[in-house]
Amino acid sequence: MALVPLALGVLLLLLLWISVKSCSYRLTTQRLFVRRGWLAKHVNELELYRVKDVVVDQAGLQRLLGYGTVTVLAADDTTPETHLVGISSPTKVKEMIRTQYRAARQREGVHPTEFMKSP
C-alpha cells in the first residue's frame, strides 16, 4: 500500500520528463521554430520581426537550478504568445532572442511604433 504514492510520484515525474523532452526550439536570424509533440509533431514558426517583447519567468526552485520559462510576445494573430518551457540560462536566451528580433526588424524596416495600438 505504501508503494502507491511512490508509483504515482514516479509516473508524474515521467509524464513531466516526456512533456519537456518532447519540445524543441530553434532560433535563426529570421524565425523562431517551436516543435512540440511526442508521437504527433506540431511545428510553429514565428517571424522575428513580429516580436514585441520577451519575458523570463523563474520560480524559486527554477532559479536555483538555472532553468525557467521564456515567453515571447508577438504581433502575430495565430501565436500572440509563445512559451519556451524548461530553458537553461533563460536570461541569456532572452537576450539572444532580443538581439535577433532587433536585427530582423532592422532588415525588414519595421519600427516598434507599428506595433502600438492607435487611441
Side-chain angles (χ1 to χ4, degrees):
M1 196 61 147
L3 293 177
V4 172
L6 178 65
L8 287 175
V10 168
L11 181 63
L12 186 63
L13 284 174
L14 180 64
L15 290 174
L16 180 64
W17 181 80
I18 288 173
S19 71
V20 169
K21 290 298 182 181
S22 65
C23 295
S24 65
Y25 313 108
R26 186 167 60 105
L27 179 65
T28 69
T29 58
Q30 296 178 352
R31 287 183 231 134
L32 173 65
F33 294 89
V34 179
R35 174 181 262 179
R36 297 187 195 282
W38 188 46
L39 294 175
K41 292 287 183 188
H42 174 77
V43 179
N44 187 26
E45 297 178 25
L46 177 62
E47 294 285 342
L48 289 178
Y49 73 87
R50 294 179 181 264
V51 174
K52 294 191 299 189
D53 197 13
V54 183
V55 180
V56 172
D57 291 310
Q58 285 182 296
L61 184 60
Q62 288 176 324
R63 191 167 175 182
L64 287 173
L65 297 174
Y67 286 88
T69 299
V70 176
T71 303
V72 180
L73 305 172
D76 186 75
D77 292 336
T78 59
T79 316
E81 287 187 13
T82 301
H83 301 281
L84 312 178
V85 181
I87 301 296
S88 179
S89 303
T91 305
K92 288 181 183 179
V93 172
K94 174 191 173 199
E95 289 304 316
M96 286 172 41
I97 294 171
R98 183 178 182 274
T99 300
Q100 292 297 344
Y101 84 68
R102 289 173 59 91
R105 278 186 188 168
Q106 199 170 31
R107 271 192 316 275
E108 297 289 330
V110 176
H111 302 286
T113 55
E114 294 178 28
F115 296 124
M116 298 174 134
K117 292 183 180 178
S118 25

